[in-house]
Every structure is written in C-alpha cells, then in structure tokens.
Amino acid sequence: MDISGEEVTHGTDRGPRRALDREPLGYLTAALRGVGQVDLQPRLLTGAFILAGLWAAGWRVGLFATLGTLLSTAAAYAFGVDRDSIAQGLQGFSGCLTGIALVGSLGHHPATYVLTVVGCVLCTVLTAALGTLLAPYGLSALTAPFCVVSGVIVLGAPSFARIWHGDPAPVADPTGGDPAITFTDLWHAFFGNVSQVFLVDSWYVGLIMLAGLACAGARVVLAAALGSVAGIVAAWALGAPTAQIASGIYGYNAVLVGIALGAVLLPATPWNAGYALFGAALSTGLTAAITSFFKPFDGHTFTWPFILTTWALLAAVPRLPRLRAAGATG
Amino acid sequence: MDISGEEVTHGTDRGPRRALDREPLGYLTAALRGVGQVDLQPRLLTGAFILAGLWAAGWRVGLFATLGTLLSTAAAYAFGVDRDSIAQGLQGFSGCLTGIALVGSLGHHPATYVLTVVGCVLCTVLTAALGTLLAPYGLSALTAPFCVVSGVIVLGAPSFARIWHGDPAPVADPTGGDPAITFTDLWHAFFGNVSQVFLVDSWYVGLIMLAGLACAGARVVLAAALGSVAGIVAAWALGAPTAQIASGIYGYNAVLVGIALGAVLLPATPWNAGYALFGAALSTGLTAAITSFFKPFDGHTFTWPFILTTWALLAAVPRLPRLRAAGATG
Amino acid sequence: MDISGEEVTHGTDRGPRRALDREPLGYLTAALRGVGQVDLQPRLLTGAFILAGLWAAGWRVGLFATLGTLLSTAAAYAFGVDRDSIAQGLQGFSGCLTGIALVGSLGHHPATYVLTVVGCVLCTVLTAALGTLLAPYGLSALTAPFCVVSGVIVLGAPSFARIWHGDPAPVADPTGGDPAITFTDLWHAFFGNVSQVFLVDSWYVGLIMLAGLACAGARVVLAAALGSVAGIVAAWALGAPTAQIASGIYGYNAVLVGIALGAVLLPATPWNAGYALFGAALSTGLTAAITSFFKPFDGHTFTWPFILTTWALLAAVPRLPRLRAAGATG
C-alpha cells in the first residue's frame, strides 16, 4: 500500500498495547516513539531512554528535541496523515532533529521558536513529498526531511536580520589535524558516535542512548555498536584527525547505517551483515567528501552520508541477488 | 495520457476560437499564449498584456522575450511535439524567459542571438525530458527548463572568449542590508514582485502584468496579489534588506507559487489557500538559501525557489488527505 | 526485463563465440569487453586495442585500468549479478575508469591500491543502484558510477592523512587562455578527444583507440570521429582556449555523446544524426559550466557532461516524435 509504505522500511512495534493509542495518550506515545525513530526504533522504552539522554545533554537540546517531535507529529494530525504512520512515530523524528539543529545553529532566541514551528510543519510536508518520490523504488525518506529543512534554514538564516544573531559555534572541520589516537579517544568515539546522531558530543549521552537501543533488542544494539566500531576503524585507517574521531564526527553516520542495514531494512544473513559493515565504513569516507562539498557555501553535513549510503546500497539490492532484500525492497 | 500530461497541470483555454489555431495564425497564438504561460495562464489577452509590459520594460527585453518564445515554439513544431501542448503555449514559456535572461546576462551582442537560438531549442528538448522524468509523479516541468538552460549558459559563458564581453550588471545580493521599510518600498515591492518573474524590476511593468492576470480571472489575480503580499510579509518578518524587498527580488517566487498552488494546480478550498500562502512564504525564505548556495560558483537563483517549493508541496499532497489534489496529481 | 535492462542500451556482441564464455576464460573476456564498454562497445578486438592504448600511455595507467576492470567484474561475480550483463562487459567499464582516475589523482602509493579495490566494489554496487533508479525511464547508468565513486574519493581524500600525499598534478582549467588555433592543435585535438575519455592526453593513444573503434564497425568510428569534430568546432566557435582544445579537454565528452547517440542508443536516421551532433556540441559547452560549478570545492568534471547530455536528450525522445528511439527507450 502506498501511503503506509514507510512503516515497512522502518522498524514497527505492534504489541498488545493499543490502549496507549487512544487520544490524547496516542499523541504522546506517537511523539515518544518518534524520538526513538531517529534511530529507526519504534519501541517506547527506546524513545524514553533517548529523550532522557537528550535532556541530560542540556535543557535546550532536550526542550527543542521535545518541541520538534511534538510539533511535527501535531502537523501530521492536522494534515490528516495516515494514523498508523503517526502512531509508529514516523512523523516525529525529523522534527526532533530539526529542533536540535535549529537551537544549535541559531541560538536560543524567540525567532528560533518561530522557525522551529515552521521547520517542523515543513518536515511533515517533506516527509510526505519524499514518500511520494521514493515510493517507486521501495525506499523511505529516512532523515532526509530533517537534512533538507535544517540545511535550508541554516543556509538562508545569515541573510535575515531578524533571525540571525551572529556566528554560531563553528562546525567541527573534519579535514585536518593529527591522526595519532589513544584508548580514551577510542571509547569516547565509540559512545560519541551514538550521541552525535542527535548532534550531541558526549560519551555518557551516547551510553544512555545505547542502553535505549539495547531495549530494542540484541540485534539492534549489536548493529549500532558494530557500526560505531566500523566507523572508528575506517576513520583511523584513512588517517582522519583524532579530535574529530573522538568527538564522533566521523562515526555517527556509521551507527545509523549499521542499524538501518544491519538490523532493520535487510534480513539477517552473513552477506548482509558484511554489506552493512561495508556501508558503515563507506559513510565514514563519505562524511569527508560531503563536508568538503558543503564548505564553500557553509552547508551542514548532518546525516546526509547515512542517507545517501543507505539509499544507494538499498537501491542496489534488487540487482545483487547475493543480498536478500526485506519485503519492502525485494 | 502521457504526452499531453503537462496541460492538465497548467491552465488551459479551450474556447470556441479554433479559427485561431489554423496556421500560420496558430503559431502566433501559440507563442502569445506561451508568454502568458510563464504565469501559468493560457489566455491570449493575458499574454498580450504581459508582452506589452515586457516591451515597456525596454526593447531588448521585449525583443528577446518575443524571439525566445517564437524560437522554442518553432523548435517544438520541428521536433513534432504534440500539437495540443504547443497550442496551449506550453512549449514557449521557457524560451521567453531564456531570451530575457541571456540578453540580460551576456549583453546585446551577435553571439547572444546565436546562443538564444541554441538555448531555446534546448528549452524544448528539456521540456520533453523533464516531462518524461516527472510524469510518474504527476508533476510538470514548470520553468525548470529555463532555469537549467540559462543557468548552464551563464555559468559556462565566462570560459569562452567569443561569447563573453566582460561582467554583466551585478546580480542583486539578497544577503545583506538595512531592514527598515517605508510605504513606497511596500507598493514598489507589491508590483515589482510581479515584474521580477520576468527578471524586470519596474512597478509599472508589474502593474501592466497584473492587469493581464486580471483578464485570466478573479481567482488568478487574487492568488498572484496574495502571493506577492505573502512574500513581502515573510521577507519583512525575517528581516530581509529593504532594497531587495522593494525591487521584488524576494517576492517573485511567491507570486508564482501563489498562482500555481492557489489558482491552477489545486482545487479552491480553505486548506489549499492556506497551503498556497504557506508555500509563497516558504519560497521567500528559500530564495536566500538558494542564493547563498549559488554564490561560490556565481550561479543564478532564477525561479528555482518557485519550482522547488511547488514540486515539494505538490508531491506531498497525495499523502496529506486534508489537501485535495486536482485530477492530475490526485 | 528489468535486471538485464542495461544491455539493451549499450552495444551487445552475441557472436557464435560462446566458447569464450566458459570460466575462467569467461571472466577475462568479460573484463576485456569491459574496457571497450567505456566507449559503449562490447567487441573483444575493440577492448584489446583500447587496452593496448592504455598501456602505451604508461604502465600505471595500463595497470590500474586493468586492475579496475578485473576488480569490478570480480565484484559482480561475487554479488551474483546477472551473468549476461557481466559477459557483455557492463560490470567492468566504470572500474576501468576509476582505476585510472585514482592513480592519476592520488599517485602511485599502497593506499591507492586499497582504495582502488574499495572503489571498484563500489562501482559494481552503484551500477546496480543506478540501474534500479533509472529503469523506469529506460535510461542506463552510463559512466555515472565511475563519476560518483571517483568524485567522492578525490573530494574526500585530502581530509585523510594516510591516503593523501600532497597535491596531484593540477587539473587543466578550461576557463581561460588564448583562442588562436593552428593545424597541429586541430589534429592533436581530434585524437586527444578520443584518448581523454580515459583521462589520457596523447594523440597516438587516441589513434590506437580509434583503430579499436573502427573494429566495432564503420558507424561507430564515424560517430566517434564526427563527435570529436563537433566538439572541436563548438569549442572553437565559443572561443575556448586553444591549449585546452588541443589536449582534448573540451572534446572527450563530445566523442562519447557521438558514439552513444549516433551509433548505439538511437536508430540511424538523418534527424537522429543531427540530434547526436547537437548533443556532442552541447556537451562541449556543458564542460565549461560543470567545471565552473565544481571549482569552489575542487570537484572533477570527469564524464559528467557526456552523462547529463545523454540522459537529457534520451529522456526527451519519447515526446519528440521526429526522433525515433531504439526499443529500449521507445
């Protein structure tokens, strides 16, 4: 079916907890699942752990993540989006990331609240638009609505006197530095990769989130952990600067690719596991290329390396019989 | 039907005036409708008003707009394009804008005439190519052939000694300046937004064109006017520089979005009217982002904000049941 | 049929030589055909001439072209790609160009070998992915997997200490210089256009390759030669710098467009011949635009002008009845 196509390609959670789906509780559980769907996980407990991690990262991050998820989920109600898709949290996750990105890039000002409202409504519209455009290929939008909306706002903001309040904290530049690495760098990187998915650089936030992923099942947390390791190994092998590896800049896309290809979108076979690790390493290399591409116009890398890697590798599956696709893409 | 798919998504005019469709008069009426189709209007009178406005803006603008429309319509005849599509002016409007853009960017030289011929033939080819690529999604090419052809020529021109005669007039930079605004700025902006669709900065040309749109019906001129107002309000609210608002740089995309979503491509409902105004405001913000993106390689914004906004919002409609799509996209 | 769709849009060679298709000889003939498929030709003799030309251009070029073709063909075996597609060489040609591009951009280091392995596996994956994405439009991937893989690697490489060993030879800049031209320039350009398809600037390598194309038939070599002439004429008429014309920078895309549209993908009619020459000239102008677009982030033009021109012109054919498409695109 066309409209609910996205659910098949994200994880779904259809337990006997339908009581939670009655309003207004249904709205709140949909939003909580939305926080977890950033990592492609609809489990409520996963969403709760991740939300706790975001508030632990600071009240601004927690507040705007919460607001963003609530706003884009509410917009989906208003536009009459398929209820099943809302209930699984698929209308909230781009808003979650957009809220975090906007408060991080524009600062905590009244204008940022207004832009978060507009941006989150737009996330819901773009989720629908990309759903239409990608449906013929059996692909889902992933976090692309977030990347487009936040990218456009952050790119346009400096032109506007009322929303721009001077330069934000400089974006980490993954294109130079010292490649020597210590054990502290390594375990900071391992957890930082998980928290950087949410634009947060903090090993303990990553640890809390990893605990949330563990609630979603052994395969999910294993895929996330191996993705993180693959990202670190690839970045080290390529000779990336240690500071960027340690802060998770080079590995958060690998974590997402690991979860998406290793635990959600493809069935569990040895070939597919290797393919997921290959993708995780690829996304690490792609991070440098995309950052260099965005540099002349001050664009933001966000989760583009994850999105492009996952789209390319999934689109290839139907023509690579060794890799068995899940129902949605097969 | 595949080949005539574009007509459904532009306005059509099927009066009892079939006498006008006999050659050679058919060629001339097709071209005149083509001028109006820049604003998505096939009415002959609308085309006549707009053409008068273009000649009032200066003989070069008028001449190259006329030449461009005639050339790309003629190319459509030569390639054997569906006659109904030609008769509705759908093969001429990209050529109209391409002629204006080339004489404005490259100056009035013999080489500009040659490039206008090549560019207009290419517009017809790209109209067909984009028609094929967008058909599965029920979208039409809008002014994208113009943006691609003129963008490529203007980007490549400085590399070539025979077609480049020094820097053109600098493109208005919508990324800096003073945000205070007067009443004169406001009404200049209101009409300038309409004329800037054709790369002309002149309030009276905008007034003439708005009169032409009024000939196409109350809904069309209302949608254009409200789009223009939405663009001005959005630009002012964001804090855009007054000089750019007054010259229409920030609002011409809003006018086009207003007409496209508010009067042509979606049925008239309150939700759709709100959606069209939301889109008009969005295209204003997008103008700054696209201009910043294009700045490193001296690209031109042209009508990309209109095209991208309209494509995204239309592609979302099938998954947003609150918004009822017209037959073509439903 | 979906999976073997690409073959229809490249040339195929189905002689009574099935003995060559038994392993391990089948692997080697598939790879040799792959070298020829860069020019869209599956004939073994064509591949042999071109490979000889590549080794004549230098052992590094010859070695990495050979390695690249063998590696991506082997990856296709491993992924279980359709055997017919492998046998026609369609899985090897992007790897061939990727090998040449990587040793040219990164230098001859151990890391370059590792990246060539990864890049060639990725070429096979992207060939499958683009096959899926382009199938609805009847288009094939052409050399796009090479352009994407090599573009990403070369763009990301300077960020990584272990794979970057200082600046490579500067890329020829086709955006400035003297437009006067001599007869020596002209015939150097004519053959250089053919060798630059493989990133080699050498008239005698071009001559060897042209001999290989002659083995593929009179129509193929004529289309390549006329494409080369069209590229030179267009570059001269536009006023491109002579040094770039003479080294083939402005014409290699025209050669490929000439072969693709003039001899392989469209049936032989006078209109189609004119359309192919129009495309060849277009790709020359597009070369300057794409190079200017890529300059801010040090991207590489590679064969993008050929790919984009061919895709656009082929996608237009179904709506331009004057041009009769081949079975695959009709």
Side-chain angles (χ1 to χ4, degrees):
Chain A
M1 207 178 81
D2 211 18
I3 287 187
S4 61
E6 279 160 300
E7 288 160 272
V8 188
T9 54
H10 272 243
T12 55
D13 182 22
R14 295 183 192 280
R17 51 181 74 177
R18 284 292 175 192
L20 291 179
D21 291 342
R22 286 197 206 99
E23 303 304 344
L25 206 58
Y27 172 53
L28 297 177
T29 56
L32 194 52
R33 287 186 214 272
V35 176
Q37 285 283 19
V38 173
D39 280 336
L40 298 96
Q41 301 308 320
R43 192 63 60 87
L44 276 177
L45 206 53
T46 306
F49 265 97
I50 290 176
L51 190 61
L54 291 171
W55 282 92
W59 66 269
R60 289 177 189 183
V61 169
L63 177 63
F64 275 81
T66 308
L67 277 179
T69 316
L70 289 170
L71 284 166
S72 56
T73 305
Y77 275 88
F79 281 123
V81 171
D82 175 62
R83 278 300 169 97
D84 213 38
S85 162
I86 296 177
Q88 292 295 335
L90 294 172
Q91 302 296 322
F93 65 90
S94 286
C96 175
L97 291 173
T98 299
I100 299 170
L102 292 186
V103 75
S105 305
L106 305 177
H108 185 252
H109 302 282
T112 306
Y113 286 86
V114 178
L115 283 178
T116 301
V117 174
V118 174
C120 288
V121 173
L122 199 48
C123 277
T124 302
V125 172
L126 277 186
T127 299
L130 285 169
T132 302
L133 298 180
L134 294 168
Y137 306 114
L139 301 173
S140 66
L142 303 173
T143 47
F146 148 64
C147 287
V148 173
V149 169
S150 301
V152 163
I153 292 178
V154 174
L155 186 55
S159 304
F160 296 122
R162 269 185 239 282
I163 62 175
W164 190 244
H165 304 82
D167 285 326
V171 178
D173 175 3
T175 57
D178 177 32
I181 201 159
T182 68
F183 180 71
T184 309
D185 293 330
L186 286 177
W187 71 263
H188 274 202
F190 177 78
F191 294 111
N193 287 346
V194 180
S195 68
Q196 276 286 5
V197 168
F198 294 83
L199 307 168
V200 170
D201 175 10
S202 157
W203 67 266
Y204 58 84
V205 171
L207 181 60
I208 297 172
M209 289 173 172
L210 213 53
L213 290 172
C215 300
R219 190 178 163 205
V220 170
V221 74
L222 191 69
L226 288 179
S228 184
V229 170
I232 294 168
V233 170
W236 170 84
L238 288 163
T242 305
Q244 266 76 277
I245 298 178
S247 67
I249 292 293
Y250 266 112
Y252 64 95
N253 288 288
V255 170
L256 286 170
V257 171
I259 297 173
L261 296 183
V264 178
L265 305 179
L266 294 175
T269 71
W271 269 88
N272 285 348
Y275 197 57
L277 287 178
F278 178 64
L282 269 184
S283 71
T284 303
L286 192 54
T287 301
I290 289 182
T291 305
S292 296
F293 170 69
F294 279 173
K295 205 180 284 176
F297 54 89
D298 289 325
H300 286 241
T301 305
F302 292 137
T303 51
W304 280 120
F306 153 62
I307 296 164
L308 297 176
T309 302
T310 305
W311 280 347
L313 266 58
L314 277 183
V317 165
R319 286 163 185 246
L320 304 178
R322 191 80 66 186
L323 312 163
R324 291 275 160 263
T329 51
Chain B
M1 211 176 82
D2 211 19
I3 287 188
S4 62
E6 278 160 299
E7 288 160 274
V8 188
T9 54
H10 273 242
T12 53
D13 182 20
R14 297 183 190 279
R17 52 181 72 177
R18 283 292 174 192
L20 290 180
D21 291 341
R22 287 200 203 97
E23 304 304 342
L25 206 58
Y27 172 53
L28 297 176
T29 57
L32 194 53
R33 286 185 214 273
V35 176
Q37 285 284 18
V38 173
D39 280 336
L40 296 97
Q41 301 308 321
R43 192 65 58 89
L44 277 177
L45 205 54
T46 307
F49 265 96
I50 290 175
L51 190 61
L54 291 171
W55 282 93
W59 67 268
R60 288 177 189 184
V61 169
L63 177 63
F64 275 80
T66 309
L67 276 179
T69 316
L70 289 171
L71 283 166
S72 56
T73 304
Y77 275 88
F79 281 123
V81 171
D82 175 61
R83 278 299 169 97
D84 212 38
S85 162
I86 296 177
Q88 292 295 334
L90 294 172
Q91 302 296 323
F93 64 90
S94 286
C96 175
L97 291 172
T98 299
I100 299 170
L102 292 187
V103 74
S105 304
L106 305 178
H108 185 253
H109 302 282
T112 306
Y113 286 86
V114 178
L115 283 177
T116 301
V117 174
V118 174
C120 288
V121 173
L122 198 48
C123 276
T124 302
V125 172
L126 277 186
T127 299
L130 285 169
T132 302
L133 299 179
L134 294 168
Y137 305 115
L139 301 174
S140 67
L142 303 173
T143 47
F146 148 64
C147 287
V148 172
V149 170
S150 301
V152 163
I153 292 178
V154 174
L155 186 56
S159 304
F160 296 121
R162 271 186 237 280
I163 63 177
W164 190 243
H165 304 82
D167 284 327
V171 177
D173 175 3
T175 57
D178 176 32
I181 201 159
T182 69
F183 180 70
T184 309
D185 292 329
L186 286 177
W187 70 265
H188 274 202
F190 178 76
F191 293 111
N193 287 345
V194 180
S195 68
Q196 276 287 5
V197 167
F198 294 82
L199 308 167
V200 170
D201 175 11
S202 156
W203 67 266
Y204 57 85
V205 172
L207 181 60
I208 297 172
M209 290 174 171
L210 213 53
L213 290 172
C215 300
R219 191 178 162 208
V220 170
V221 73
L222 192 69
L226 288 178
S228 182
V229 170
I232 293 167
V233 170
W236 169 83
L238 288 163
T242 305
Q244 265 76 277
I245 298 178
S247 66
I249 292 292
Y250 266 112
Y252 64 95
N253 288 287
V255 169
L256 285 171
V257 171
I259 297 173
L261 296 183
V264 179
L265 304 179
L266 293 175
T269 71
W271 268 89
N272 285 348
Y275 197 58
L277 286 177
F278 178 65
L282 269 185
S283 71
T284 303
L286 192 54
T287 301
I290 289 182
T291 305
S292 296
F293 170 69
F294 279 174
K295 205 180 284 175
F297 53 90
D298 289 325
H300 286 239
T301 306
F302 291 137
T303 52
W304 279 121
F306 153 61
I307 295 165
L308 297 176
T309 302
T310 305
W311 280 348
L313 267 58
L314 277 183
V317 164
R319 287 166 184 243
L320 304 178
R322 192 79 67 187
L323 312 163
R324 291 276 160 261
T329 50
Chain C
M1 211 178 80
D2 212 18
I3 288 188
S4 61
E6 278 160 299
E7 290 160 88
V8 187
T9 56
H10 274 242
T12 53
D13 182 22
R14 295 181 192 281
R17 54 181 71 177
R18 284 292 173 192
L20 290 179
D21 291 342
R22 286 201 205 98
E23 303 305 343
L25 206 58
Y27 172 53
L28 297 177
T29 57
L32 194 53
R33 287 186 213 271
V35 176
Q37 285 283 17
V38 173
D39 280 335
L40 296 96
Q41 301 308 321
R43 192 63 61 87
L44 276 177
L45 205 54
T46 307
F49 265 97
I50 291 176
L51 190 62
L54 291 171
W55 281 93
W59 67 268
R60 289 177 190 183
V61 169
L63 177 63
F64 275 80
T66 308
L67 276 179
T69 316
L70 288 170
L71 283 165
S72 57
T73 305
Y77 275 88
F79 281 124
V81 171
D82 175 60
R83 279 299 168 98
D84 213 37
S85 162
I86 297 177
Q88 293 294 335
L90 294 171
Q91 302 297 322
F93 64 89
S94 286
C96 174
L97 292 173
T98 298
I100 299 171
L102 292 186
V103 74
S105 304
L106 306 178
H108 185 253
H109 301 283
T112 306
Y113 286 86
V114 178
L115 283 177
T116 300
V117 174
V118 174
C120 288
V121 172
L122 198 49
C123 276
T124 302
V125 172
L126 278 186
T127 299
L130 285 170
T132 302
L133 299 179
L134 294 168
Y137 305 116
L139 301 174
S140 66
L142 302 173
T143 47
F146 148 65
C147 287
V148 172
V149 170
S150 301
V152 163
I153 292 177
V154 174
L155 186 55
S159 305
F160 296 122
R162 271 186 238 281
I163 62 176
W164 190 244
H165 304 84
D167 284 328
V171 177
D173 175 3
T175 58
D178 177 32
I181 201 158
T182 68
F183 180 70
T184 308
D185 292 330
L186 285 178
W187 70 263
H188 274 202
F190 178 77
F191 293 112
N193 287 346
V194 180
S195 67
Q196 277 286 6
V197 168
F198 294 82
L199 308 167
V200 170
D201 176 11
S202 156
W203 66 265
Y204 57 85
V205 171
L207 181 60
I208 297 172
M209 290 174 172
L210 213 54
L213 291 172
C215 300
R219 190 177 163 206
V220 170
V221 72
L222 190 70
L226 288 178
S228 184
V229 170
I232 294 168
V233 170
W236 169 82
L238 288 163
T242 305
Q244 265 74 276
I245 298 178
S247 67
I249 292 293
Y250 266 112
Y252 64 96
N253 288 287
V255 169
L256 286 171
V257 171
I259 296 174
L261 296 183
V264 178
L265 305 179
L266 293 175
T269 71
W271 268 88
N272 285 349
Y275 196 57
L277 286 177
F278 177 65
L282 269 185
S283 71
T284 302
L286 192 53
T287 300
I290 289 182
T291 304
S292 296
F293 170 69
F294 278 173
K295 206 179 285 176
F297 53 89
D298 289 325
H300 286 240
T301 306
F302 292 137
T303 52
W304 279 121
F306 153 61
I307 296 165
L308 297 176
T309 302
T310 305
W311 279 348
L313 266 58
L314 277 184
V317 164
R319 286 164 186 245
L320 304 177
R322 191 80 66 187
L323 313 163
R324 291 275 160 262
T329 51

